[in-house]
Amino acid sequence: MSNFKYKRNQLYCEDVQLKEVAESAGTPLYIYSEQSLIDKYKELKQAFAFVKPLICYSVKANSNLAICSILTKQGAGLDIVSGGELYRATKIKANCKKIVFAGVGKTEQEIKQAIKANILLINAESKQEVERIDEIADKLGKRVQIGLRLNPNISAGGHGYIQTAKEENKFGISLQEIKEIFLQKEKFPHLDICGIHFHLGSQITHPQPFVKALKKTISLIQQLGNKQIKISYLDIGGGFFQPPLQFAQAILPLIKNLKAKLILEPGRYLTAGSGILLTKVLYIKERKQGKKIVIVDAGMNDFLRPSLYDAHHEILPVIRTPNNEHRTTNTDIVGPVCESGDFFAKDRKLALFKNGDFLAVLDTGAYGFSMASNYNSRLRPAEVLIKGNKFFLVREREEYKDLIRREKILTDGG
Ligand code: PLP
């Protein structure tokens, strides 16, 4: 969290005091550091410099236009999973020749949209999808580059919900079936099947699963090569969460002789530590044996990961006082939503907070706002980007009228 630091007991992002931002923009509030995003991107690029990969930022992690455009300006491509994410990409004038499109349930409409935009690769996740892309390409009179997403049957990732590469998961195509599709590629005259893709899961802290999946993939590429089938793109997805050098050192020896262009799809790695969620203490309840329940103004609708994945996120006071410096109190930090699963911390030793304190929930730049909802008819929070000593509102806080914008009250008779 190098760009989120205390200076004279005040938490700063870059050169901006967060208390001032909270007072000016209100809470709950997401805050992102531009410098952190750029540093992370450069660190990853540097670690893999030897093979010059195409780094496609995974838009789902944080799809705010300001965040995506900071990364594309650094040279990143985009990894998308929906027509909506492609729409966002066009709004920031991203280079479509650097866009890859994954997802098990692409609709006909989304496939058309991707073909018309001339994206780099549609990564197909089933033989039926390959057939559908071929039909649509035929109708549009286009020849389309696609990759096939391999399900390597490997266990990787934090929580079970974010593991995506086991045979029983819905993602990807088995090794055997991938071979069959490649061997029958003449059946798809409107496709250039030129890529292999996998994505193992999220929060993978060790390179070993990548090494395992790569060994399987490289053997497949070699078998295909023996049949004069050339693979131009090897897309190894995202999910990595360790220092990129360690990750690169483990996998570069395996791929250094491959002719295929390497594609990476980092989401969390780039954005998680580049963002925090600011929230304000509303009430404090005392329970037996000194336990405290701290009720804050952000809820699971604003930040879902603790409720959904039991994810641990550090929580710090925005102003450090002698009172809240030491972590001693057995505390739950909970939101206002009507669910007992609405919490950010459970039974944690935390500092003593008081009503009105601002708290920072750390590492919330990935899968934070992008998973936010209007549950309980709560307004989704604002988002702020910090650049040096200035801050910019990059998404306005919603208003009540946004909640009902597309709803209708039926009159008698419908
Ligand atoms: N690529 C694909 C296909 C994904 O499904 C995901 C996340 O679900 C990612 C990349 C990004 O993963 P992470 O944010 O863990 O790097």
Side-chain angles (χ1 to χ4, degrees):
M1 296 291 293
S2 59
N3 286 303
F4 294 91
K5 278 192 220 134
Y6 284 106
K7 296 182 198 169
R8 296 171 303 280
N9 290 323
Q10 296 268 353
L11 192 60
Y12 275 69
C13 173
E14 301 188 19
D15 297 322
V16 174
Q17 200 178 341
L18 293 184
K19 176 173 167 275
E20 278 178 14
V21 189
E23 283 168 354
S24 145
T27 53
L29 180 69
Y30 278 99
I31 296 194
Y32 311 118
S33 155
E34 179 183 59
Q35 196 54 52
S36 292
L37 288 163
I38 295 174
D39 291 348
K40 283 287 195 179
Y41 179 79
K42 287 188 173 161
E43 191 187 9
L44 185 61
K45 189 173 162 192
Q46 182 59 33
F48 280 87
F50 183 64
V51 291
K52 294 200 173 64
L54 174 61
I55 300 175
C56 291
Y57 166 57
S58 195
V59 174
K60 66 178 83 59
N62 185 327
S63 44
N64 186 292
L65 297 180
I67 302 290
C68 295
S69 80
I70 289 169
L71 292 166
T72 54
K73 278 186 193 136
Q74 292 296 311
L78 299 173
D79 155 48
I80 60 165
V81 284
S82 68
E85 288 187 349
L86 181 52
Y87 175 75
R88 286 179 176 276
T90 55
K91 285 289 158 197
I92 59 163
K93 300 195 170 37
N95 177 352
C96 288
K97 275 291 154 218
K98 290 186 179 179
I99 294 182
V100 293
F101 186 4
V104 288
K106 300 178 196 80
T107 63
E108 191 170 329
Q109 171 57 32
E110 289 174 318
I111 294 169
K112 266 190 198 152
Q113 198 185 338
I115 294 177
K116 285 183 181 164
N118 282 319
I119 68 167
L120 178 64
L121 277 183
I122 301 178
N123 284 322
E125 303 227 11
S126 63
K127 186 170 175 200
Q128 289 185 358
E129 187 189 332
V130 174
E131 289 163 354
R132 182 157 301 166
I133 302 170
D134 187 54
E135 281 162 25
I136 298 172
D138 182 14
K139 278 190 210 144
L140 295 176
K142 294 252 198 179
R143 189 169 156 80
V144 176
Q145 282 198 159
I146 71 161
L148 300 180
R149 177 166 176 176
L150 171 68
N151 179 322
N153 194 17
I154 279 175
S155 226
H159 192 279
Y161 290 0
I162 50 179
Q163 299 197 351
T164 52
K166 291 285 291 168
E167 208 261 316
E168 65 262 28
N169 298 133
K170 66 180 174 179
F171 300 97
I173 309 173
S174 73
L175 196 78
Q176 190 49 39
E177 209 180 349
I178 286 206
K179 271 190 223 166
E180 285 163 17
I181 298 173
F182 271 111
L183 293 176
Q184 302 164 8
K185 68 191 180 67
E186 276 66 38
K187 283 194 182 163
F188 309 109
H190 308 94
L191 303 183
D192 175 10
I193 311 179
C194 60
I196 296 183
H197 172 228
F198 62 73
H199 169 73
L200 302 179
S202 218
Q203 287 182 284
I204 304 170
T205 50
H206 196 279
Q208 197 51 32
F210 282 91
V211 170
K212 247 174 141 178
L214 268 172
K215 284 187 176 158
K216 289 191 183 192
T217 313
I218 290 165
S219 149
L220 171 66
I221 293 176
Q222 280 159 354
Q223 290 170 42
L224 295 172
N226 293 341
K227 306 230 179 263
Q228 273 63 54
I229 297 171
K230 187 176 150 237
I231 299 302
S232 310
Y233 299 99
L234 171 59
D235 179 346
I236 65 169
F240 41 91
F241 203 45
Q242 68 269 58
L245 202 56
Q246 181 198 352
F247 172 60
Q249 278 166 352
I251 68 171
L252 282 179
L254 297 171
I255 57 173
K256 65 175 192 284
N257 294 325
L258 282 184
K259 300 249 173 343
K261 175 91 175 162
L262 182 70
I263 300 177
L264 305 172
E265 300 175 347
R268 173 184 312 282
Y269 167 77
L270 293 172
T271 56
S274 306
I276 61 161
L277 173 64
L278 278 190
T279 183
K280 186 161 86 175
V281 176
L282 296 177
Y283 304 103
I284 298 177
K285 293 190 187 193
E286 310 270 344
R287 291 290 201 240
K288 284 184 193 144
Q289 284 151 356
K291 169 155 178 171
K292 296 207 186 297
I293 299 181
V294 174
I295 301 154
V296 295
D297 65 357
M300 63 190 285
N301 71 297
D302 302 301
F303 184 55
L304 186 61
R305 299 192 72 256
S307 309
L308 186 63
Y309 306 132
D310 220 2
H312 181 98
H313 287 263
E314 280 297 305
I315 298 174
L316 297 176
V318 166
I319 302 175
R320 224 164 30 187
T321 64
N323 215 13
N324 69 21
E325 212 161 354
H326 301 291
R327 299 168 163 240
T328 51
T329 319
N330 193 15
T331 309
D332 287 357
I333 298 207
V334 304
V337 171
C338 302
E339 302 274 348
S340 292
D342 177 28
F343 66 89
F344 296 134
K346 268 257 154 98
D347 269 327
R348 232 187 263 176
K349 289 273 178 256
L350 286 173
L352 208 55
F353 302 129
K354 60 178 189 336
N355 290 359
D357 280 354
F358 292 119
L359 306 183
V361 186
L362 304 191
D363 297 323
T364 47
Y367 307 102
F369 189 92
S370 62
M371 289 179 116
S373 75
N374 292 117
Y375 185 43
N376 276 204
S377 285
R378 287 170 51 79
L379 305 176
R380 285 184 297 172
E383 295 174 282
V384 158
L385 181 74
I386 311 270
K387 283 169 171 254
N389 60 5
K390 295 203 172 64
F391 70 89
F392 302 89
L393 195 61
V394 291
R395 191 181 208 277
E396 289 173 8
R397 189 174 301 286
E398 288 181 339
E399 297 177 5
Y400 286 140
K401 60 177 189 271
D402 296 318
L403 291 175
I404 56 165
R405 196 178 291 285
R406 296 190 174 269
E407 295 178 27
K408 283 194 175 63
I409 302 169
L410 293 185
T411 49
D412 286 346

Short mmCIF file of all heavy atoms in Angstrom, two decimals, residues 260-282:
data_model
loop_
_atom_site.label_atom_id
_atom_site.label_comp_id
_atom_site.label_asym_id
_atom_site.label_seq_id
_atom_site.Cartn_x
_atom_site.Cartn_y
_atom_site.Cartn_z
N ALA A 260 4.42 -18.44 -29.96
CA ALA A 260 3.16 -17.74 -29.70
C ALA A 260 3.38 -16.48 -28.86
O ALA A 260 4.26 -16.44 -28.00
CB ALA A 260 2.20 -18.68 -28.97
N LYS A 261 2.56 -15.46 -29.10
CA LYS A 261 2.60 -14.23 -28.30
C LYS A 261 1.93 -14.52 -26.95
O LYS A 261 0.81 -15.06 -26.90
CB LYS A 261 1.80 -13.15 -29.05
CG LYS A 261 1.63 -11.86 -28.30
CD LYS A 261 2.76 -10.92 -28.64
CE LYS A 261 2.59 -9.55 -28.02
NZ LYS A 261 3.87 -8.83 -28.02
N LEU A 262 2.59 -14.14 -25.87
CA LEU A 262 2.02 -14.37 -24.54
C LEU A 262 1.03 -13.26 -24.20
O LEU A 262 1.32 -12.07 -24.40
CB LEU A 262 3.14 -14.39 -23.49
CG LEU A 262 2.67 -14.67 -22.06
CD1 LEU A 262 2.22 -16.12 -21.89
CD2 LEU A 262 3.75 -14.34 -21.04
N ILE A 263 -0.13 -13.65 -23.70
CA ILE A 263 -1.12 -12.67 -23.22
C ILE A 263 -1.36 -12.92 -21.73
O ILE A 263 -1.52 -14.07 -21.30
CB ILE A 263 -2.46 -12.79 -23.99
CG1 ILE A 263 -2.23 -12.54 -25.50
CG2 ILE A 263 -3.51 -11.83 -23.44
CD1 ILE A 263 -3.48 -12.70 -26.36
N LEU A 264 -1.37 -11.84 -20.95
CA LEU A 264 -1.70 -11.93 -19.51
C LEU A 264 -2.98 -11.14 -19.28
O LEU A 264 -3.22 -10.13 -19.94
CB LEU A 264 -0.58 -11.30 -18.66
CG LEU A 264 0.84 -11.83 -18.85
CD1 LEU A 264 1.83 -10.97 -18.08
CD2 LEU A 264 0.93 -13.27 -18.37
N GLU A 265 -3.80 -11.58 -18.33
CA GLU A 265 -5.08 -10.90 -18.05
C GLU A 265 -5.19 -10.52 -16.58
O GLU A 265 -6.07 -11.00 -15.86
CB GLU A 265 -6.26 -11.82 -18.41
CG GLU A 265 -6.32 -12.25 -19.85
CD GLU A 265 -7.45 -13.26 -20.09
OE1 GLU A 265 -8.02 -13.81 -19.13
OE2 GLU A 265 -7.74 -13.50 -21.27
N PRO A 266 -4.31 -9.67 -16.07
CA PRO A 266 -4.37 -9.34 -14.64
C PRO A 266 -5.53 -8.40 -14.32
O PRO A 266 -5.80 -7.46 -15.06
CB PRO A 266 -3.04 -8.61 -14.41
CG PRO A 266 -2.73 -7.99 -15.72
CD PRO A 266 -3.25 -8.92 -16.78
N GLY A 267 -6.20 -8.68 -13.24
CA GLY A 267 -7.24 -7.78 -12.74
C GLY A 267 -6.82 -7.30 -11.37
O GLY A 267 -6.26 -6.22 -11.19
N ARG A 268 -7.03 -8.20 -10.39
CA ARG A 268 -6.73 -7.88 -9.00
C ARG A 268 -5.30 -7.37 -8.81
O ARG A 268 -5.08 -6.41 -8.06
CB ARG A 268 -6.92 -9.16 -8.16
CG ARG A 268 -6.51 -9.06 -6.72
CD ARG A 268 -6.66 -10.40 -6.04
NE ARG A 268 -7.96 -10.96 -6.35
CZ ARG A 268 -9.09 -10.57 -5.78
NH1 ARG A 268 -9.06 -9.66 -4.85
NH2 ARG A 268 -10.23 -11.11 -6.14
N TYR A 269 -4.34 -8.00 -9.47
CA TYR A 269 -2.95 -7.60 -9.27
C TYR A 269 -2.76 -6.10 -9.52
O TYR A 269 -2.04 -5.42 -8.78
CB TYR A 269 -2.02 -8.43 -10.18
CG TYR A 269 -0.65 -7.86 -10.23
CD1 TYR A 269 0.23 -8.04 -9.17
CD2 TYR A 269 -0.26 -7.03 -11.28
CE1 TYR A 269 1.46 -7.43 -9.16
CE2 TYR A 269 0.97 -6.42 -11.28
CZ TYR A 269 1.83 -6.62 -10.22
OH TYR A 269 3.04 -6.00 -10.21
N LEU A 270 -3.42 -5.58 -10.56
CA LEU A 270 -3.23 -4.17 -10.91
C LEU A 270 -4.02 -3.22 -10.02
O LEU A 270 -3.56 -2.13 -9.69
CB LEU A 270 -3.61 -3.93 -12.37
CG LEU A 270 -2.72 -4.58 -13.43
CD1 LEU A 270 -3.31 -4.42 -14.81
CD2 LEU A 270 -1.32 -3.97 -13.40
N THR A 271 -5.23 -3.63 -9.65
CA THR A 271 -6.10 -2.63 -9.02
C THR A 271 -6.36 -2.82 -7.52
O THR A 271 -6.71 -1.84 -6.86
CB THR A 271 -7.48 -2.57 -9.73
OG1 THR A 271 -8.06 -3.86 -9.74
CG2 THR A 271 -7.36 -2.06 -11.15
N ALA A 272 -6.21 -4.04 -6.99
CA ALA A 272 -6.63 -4.27 -5.59
C ALA A 272 -5.97 -3.27 -4.64
O ALA A 272 -6.65 -2.50 -3.95
CB ALA A 272 -6.34 -5.70 -5.16
N GLY A 273 -4.64 -3.24 -4.63
CA GLY A 273 -3.92 -2.39 -3.68
C GLY A 273 -3.92 -0.92 -4.08
O GLY A 273 -3.42 -0.07 -3.34
N SER A 274 -4.49 -0.62 -5.25
CA SER A 274 -4.53 0.77 -5.70
C SER A 274 -5.79 1.48 -5.22
O SER A 274 -6.02 2.64 -5.58
CB SER A 274 -4.49 0.84 -7.24
OG SER A 274 -3.38 0.14 -7.71
N GLY A 275 -6.61 0.79 -4.43
CA GLY A 275 -7.84 1.42 -3.98
C GLY A 275 -8.20 1.10 -2.54
O GLY A 275 -7.80 0.07 -1.99
N ILE A 276 -8.92 2.03 -1.92
CA ILE A 276 -9.47 1.77 -0.58
C ILE A 276 -10.94 2.21 -0.56
O ILE A 276 -11.37 2.98 -1.43
CB ILE A 276 -8.71 2.54 0.53
CG1 ILE A 276 -8.82 4.04 0.28
CG2 ILE A 276 -7.27 2.11 0.65
CD1 ILE A 276 -8.53 4.85 1.51
N LEU A 277 -11.66 1.72 0.42
CA LEU A 277 -13.04 2.17 0.63
C LEU A 277 -13.06 2.96 1.93
O LEU A 277 -12.66 2.45 2.98
CB LEU A 277 -13.96 0.95 0.72
CG LEU A 277 -15.42 1.24 1.10
CD1 LEU A 277 -16.12 2.09 0.05
CD2 LEU A 277 -16.19 -0.07 1.31
N LEU A 278 -13.52 4.20 1.84
CA LEU A 278 -13.64 5.03 3.05
C LEU A 278 -15.07 4.94 3.57
O LEU A 278 -16.03 5.04 2.79
CB LEU A 278 -13.36 6.50 2.74
CG LEU A 278 -11.93 6.97 2.67
CD1 LEU A 278 -11.90 8.49 2.59
CD2 LEU A 278 -11.13 6.50 3.86
N THR A 279 -15.19 4.77 4.86
CA THR A 279 -16.52 4.67 5.46
C THR A 279 -16.50 5.40 6.81
O THR A 279 -15.42 5.65 7.36
CB THR A 279 -16.94 3.19 5.59
OG1 THR A 279 -18.26 3.10 6.10
CG2 THR A 279 -16.01 2.39 6.48
N LYS A 280 -17.68 5.73 7.32
CA LYS A 280 -17.74 6.50 8.57
C LYS A 280 -18.46 5.68 9.65
O LYS A 280 -19.46 5.01 9.34
CB LYS A 280 -18.50 7.81 8.31
CG LYS A 280 -18.49 8.74 9.50
CD LYS A 280 -18.82 10.16 9.12
CE LYS A 280 -20.31 10.35 9.11
NZ LYS A 280 -20.69 11.74 8.86
N VAL A 281 -17.97 5.76 10.87
CA VAL A 281 -18.62 5.05 11.98
C VAL A 281 -19.92 5.79 12.34
O VAL A 281 -19.91 7.00 12.59
CB VAL A 281 -17.69 4.99 13.22
CG1 VAL A 281 -18.41 4.34 14.40
CG2 VAL A 281 -16.40 4.25 12.89
N LEU A 282 -21.03 5.02 12.35
CA LEU A 282 -22.32 5.63 12.69
C LEU A 282 -22.71 5.39 14.15
O LEU A 282 -23.14 6.30 14.84
CB LEU A 282 -23.43 5.03 11.81
CG LEU A 282 -23.34 5.27 10.30
CD1 LEU A 282 -24.47 4.54 9.58
CD2 LEU A 282 -23.42 6.76 9.99
#
